Amino acid sequence: MRGKRYKKAQKFLSFYETSFDFRSPFPVLIDGTFCFLALKMKINLREQLPKYLGAECQLLTTTCCLHETTNLGPELHGALCVLKQFSLAPCNHQEKPLPASACLETLTRGGNTEKFLIASQDLDLQDKLRKKAGVPILYLHHHSLTLEKPSEKSLEVARTRQNEKLEPSGYQKDVIGEMKKRELGETSASLPPKRKRKGPKQPNPLSCKKSKKDKLVKSLQVEMKVGKSKGRRRHKRINMCDALKNIHAKLVKQAEANS
């Protein structure tokens, strides 16, 4: 189980490295709620966080987190002592300290340019951070550190950035268009589309009834053909031997008459 948790954390962290340019050592912003529960569970953050993430970490807090933990009373004295061991991230709220959740939220505005990992048990703060892209969330669950999987907003922004990298830039599109014109000539996309002529449509011949005139004409033609075939005369074939005999007889008669 421990090996699976470590692999998941490293997988999620590699996503932020490739999609949002996170780099080691990773700055981790910690508030009083996270320190209080870690102290209660006897988790040494300086040892366990780098081991869990598989990389070097820079543990940070803010003056607002220290101010809020101090005001919560002696019950959080141990968490305050742990927070004081971490370096301070500049939040520019020294004159008017904000609540810890509001302070951490302001530090992640503008796309989390400082690449902070937010470690907090504040549920309201976690819900607000999930609506932002590129903000990893750390919390304690079942006596163990947990890096939450990337939110839907982070996944959506990562997909759009990946698609933008794959698409050619404006200059590349111009070069590709010129090469197409030079090699292939004018493309069909540049030609204006042909307009379809609108006009009366012919009726469907299968759905139309045949006219009575055509039937009458066809019947008359058939009758005329039949009449012609009946009026034909058949000629008798003449035997060639009889014809020669007649010609010979005529020639003999002419010869006798001449003599």
Side-chain angles (χ1 to χ4, degrees):
M1 291 297 291
R2 185 177 296 179
K4 288 182 180 180
R5 287 195 308 105
Y6 289 171
K7 286 182 180 179
K8 276 187 178 181
Q10 291 172 8
K11 177 183 176 182
F12 297 154
L13 202 58
S14 64
F15 166 80
Y16 288 106
E17 288 178 345
T18 54
S19 301
F20 296 96
D21 298 328
F22 277 66
R23 293 291 179 266
S24 178
F26 299 106
V28 183
L29 272 177
I30 303 171
D31 67 351
T33 60
F34 191 82
C35 285
F36 175 75
L37 195 57
L39 189 63
K40 189 176 179 180
M41 294 179 178
K42 298 180 180 180
I43 296 174
N44 190 340
L45 296 178
R46 285 193 180 276
E47 293 179 1
Q48 295 298 322
L49 268 175
K51 185 178 179 181
Y52 174 68
L53 298 175
E56 295 182 4
C57 298
Q58 186 180 3
L59 305 185
L60 304 171
T61 189
T62 63
T63 54
C64 296
C65 293
L66 292 172
H67 186 266
E68 182 184 71
T69 308
T70 304
N71 293 336
L72 289 175
E75 294 180 356
L76 294 178
H77 179 71
L80 180 62
C81 293
V82 175
L83 274 179
K84 287 181 178 180
Q85 297 175 9
F86 306 147
S87 302
L88 290 177
C91 63
N92 300 325
H93 303 142
Q94 287 81 4
E95 296 181 359
K96 293 181 179 180
L98 298 176
S101 59
C103 178
L104 298 182
E105 186 185 0
T106 55
L107 290 176
T108 57
R109 287 178 182 173
N112 194 13
T113 55
E114 298 296 330
K115 313 302 178 186
F116 288 122
L117 283 77
I118 306 300
S120 176
Q121 298 297 123
D122 192 338
L123 299 179
D124 293 334
L125 176 61
Q126 292 176 8
D127 291 337
K128 292 177 182 178
L129 296 178
R130 289 187 187 102
K131 297 177 182 178
K132 298 181 179 183
V135 183
I137 300 172
L138 272 165
Y139 56 86
L140 294 167
H141 183 64
H142 289 301
H143 295 269
S144 60
L145 294 165
T146 303
L147 178 63
E148 190 174 79
K149 68 177 182 179
S151 62
E152 291 295 330
K153 185 69 175 177
S154 297
L155 294 173
E156 183 181 352
V157 171
R159 281 193 293 266
T160 54
R161 288 183 179 179
Q162 188 67 25
N163 293 333
E164 288 175 358
K165 289 180 181 179
L166 295 175
E167 290 181 357
S169 62
Y171 171 74
Q172 291 173 344
K173 287 181 180 178
D174 295 339
V175 172
I176 292 170
E178 290 177 0
M179 290 176 66
K180 283 184 178 179
K181 288 181 181 179
R182 186 170 61 252
E183 298 295 333
L184 305 175
E186 192 174 7
T187 58
S188 59
S190 61
L191 296 174
K194 294 182 179 180
R195 293 183 179 180
K196 293 183 179 180
R197 293 182 179 179
K198 294 182 180 181
K201 295 182 179 179
Q202 298 296 330
N204 187 1
L206 298 176
S207 64
C208 298
K209 290 184 178 181
K210 293 182 180 179
S211 62
K212 295 181 179 180
K213 292 181 180 180
D214 295 339
K215 291 182 179 179
L216 292 172
V217 171
K218 286 183 179 179
S219 62
L220 290 172
Q221 289 177 354
V222 170
E223 289 177 359
M224 290 174 65
K225 286 181 180 178
V226 172
K228 287 180 180 179
S229 62
K230 288 182 179 179
R232 284 180 185 175
R233 294 180 181 180
R234 294 184 179 180
H235 298 280
K236 293 182 179 180
R237 290 183 180 181
I238 301 173
N239 194 355
M240 291 300 295
C241 295
D242 296 337
L244 290 172
K245 286 179 181 180
N246 294 329
I247 292 169
H248 179 68
K250 287 180 181 181
L251 292 173
V252 171
K253 284 180 180 181
Q254 288 178 0
E256 289 177 353
N258 294 328
S259 61

